[in-house]
Amino acid sequence: METDEKLVQDAINARSGDFRAFDQLVLKHQGMVRTNCRFISGNEEDSLDLAQEVFVKAYFNLKGFQGKSQFTTWIKRIKVNHCLNHLRRQKGKTHLDIEDPSLTKEPMLHDTRQTSTTAEDRERREMISQTLDSLSENLRVPLIMRDMDGFSYQEISDKLGVGLSATKMRINRARQEFRTKYKEA
Amino acid sequence: MTDHLHNEKEPPIKELNDFTLEDNPGFTDRVNRSLNRHLLAGDSLEFSLEIFQKTMWEYLKTMVEHLPSNKKDNLEND
């Protein structure tokens, strides 16, 4: 399998409209990007749009990727900034929160591809999803940034605009709550 | 991106480290369609700007050609 750096170079050198190399990058990283967008935004419907916008941003900024860091790290930063901006915009809006399970489950039902995932894997995913969804946004977002994305406390504190000690406290509390609720699930 | 573990009272959630949702089979096509839309919009904008520039340039050239001083010069030359 080609390395990310090689695929980035191929995507940059490709003619306009030739997305073959970039498609490989999307295939490799869509799971991580979509998962993060899903649980940072806390909304299944928005997550596909957000993930799509993250990749579009990445495509038009590929030349800015100088290979100093890994592609994964680079795209994680684009994703977190994009999702946090989305959350800020959402907070400015008043909207009805319609919690309709049939809507939130829709993408899974349309997933007709044959996968090798076992029922056990699916169950585990479902449990983690439910536990994350049960956490408040204040706890869920820093937890994802720390334990999924691997950002430092300082970076999380800067991006969320919250003090460093408050960030550490939130992550600590989020982990405690996650563990308790995960066991219950 | 890593802090020392002694900063963390509660250890990291292992389950989240490699947690991803199932891949969405139509996602790549969706990204491609969006990229195509952006590229098309960019091309259209570029084309419109080029046409605008050319039109303005021709207009200015015509204006300069028809300035009174030019007419005078032309008469004197005749």
Side-chain angles (χ1 to χ4, degrees):
Chain A
M1 189 181 261
E2 306 252 28
T3 63
D4 285 350
E5 285 66 31
K6 171 85 171 64
L7 289 172
V8 169
Q9 272 315 310
D10 290 349
I12 291 171
N13 297 332
R15 283 193 301 178
S16 176
D18 177 1
F19 305 127
R20 279 174 299 177
F22 190 70
D23 282 352
Q24 295 298 311
L25 287 167
V26 174
L27 280 171
K28 273 175 89 172
H29 299 285
Q30 66 148 312
M32 177 270 289
V33 172
R34 273 188 51 238
T35 308
N36 277 245
C37 289
R38 163 69 182 82
F39 292 105
I40 290 183
S41 70
N43 187 324
E44 182 82 53
E45 288 154 84
D46 288 347
S47 68
L48 273 176
D49 285 340
L50 285 169
Q52 174 194 313
E53 286 156 15
V54 167
F55 281 109
V56 169
K57 267 191 181 176
Y59 180 82
F60 287 107
N61 288 291
L62 273 182
K63 284 180 185 162
F65 173 69
Q66 294 163 339
K68 285 178 186 165
S69 58
Q70 285 187 328
F71 181 78
T72 321
T73 313
W74 184 70
I75 203 156
K76 269 180 186 173
R77 287 183 200 285
I78 297 178
K79 177 211 66 195
V80 160
N81 290 337
H82 193 68
C83 291
L84 291 180
N85 283 338
H86 169 80
L87 279 183
R88 285 182 197 117
R89 280 198 302 270
Q90 288 297 106
K91 275 180 186 165
K93 288 179 189 170
T94 48
H95 62 279
L96 287 171
D97 194 12
I98 305 164
E99 289 288 332
D100 182 350
S102 66
L103 288 176
T104 55
K105 293 282 185 290
E106 193 180 31
M108 287 293 201
L109 293 174
H110 283 283
D111 193 351
T112 52
R113 196 182 52 139
Q114 292 295 313
T115 56
S116 58
T117 50
T118 60
E120 211 175 301
D121 272 345
R122 282 215 186 96
E123 202 178 321
R124 195 179 68 95
R125 277 189 177 132
E126 194 59 34
M127 273 165 65
I128 295 174
S129 300
Q130 277 175 11
T131 311
L132 281 173
D133 280 336
S134 70
L135 298 180
S136 70
E137 189 185 298
N138 278 349
L139 300 182
R140 191 181 67 238
V141 174
L143 176 70
I144 289 166
M145 289 173 78
R146 178 73 191 149
D147 286 355
M148 255 190 210
D149 290 334
F151 284 106
S152 71
Y153 286 114
Q154 190 59 56
E155 281 174 298
I156 299 169
S157 156
D158 293 342
K159 284 189 193 298
L160 296 180
V162 180
L164 186 61
S165 55
T167 304
K168 286 181 183 177
M169 253 165 54
R170 281 188 194 185
I171 293 170
N172 210 45
R173 257 186 56 205
R175 284 172 178 164
Q176 285 170 348
E177 264 193 43
F178 184 93
R179 287 206 165 91
T180 313
K181 288 180 174 172
Y182 190 63
K183 271 178 202 161
E184 285 168 6
Chain B
M1 278 199 180
T2 51
D3 285 343
H4 294 293
L5 279 172
H6 57 76
N7 281 336
E8 301 164 347
K9 287 176 193 168
E10 191 79 23
I13 310 283
K14 274 190 306 195
E15 287 86 350
L16 293 183
N17 194 28
D18 57 349
F19 173 62
T20 53
L21 295 171
E22 281 184 57
D23 282 353
N24 184 318
F27 186 72
T28 313
D29 291 338
R30 194 184 159 121
V31 173
N32 283 350
R33 279 197 300 275
S34 180
L35 286 173
N36 273 322
R37 275 199 303 274
H38 278 80
L39 288 172
L40 186 69
D43 286 348
S44 307
L45 184 69
E46 203 176 312
F47 178 72
S48 309
L49 282 172
E50 203 181 309
I51 293 291
F52 177 74
Q53 267 179 340
K54 281 188 175 161
T55 313
M56 286 306 286
W57 178 242
E58 288 301 321
Y59 179 72
L60 284 170
K61 261 173 40 183
T62 317
M63 289 268 286
V64 170
E65 278 167 16
H66 289 88
L67 278 174
S69 60
N70 277 3
K71 274 186 185 171
K72 211 176 182 180
D73 288 346
N74 288 342
L75 284 174
E76 277 169 12
N77 285 339
D78 288 342

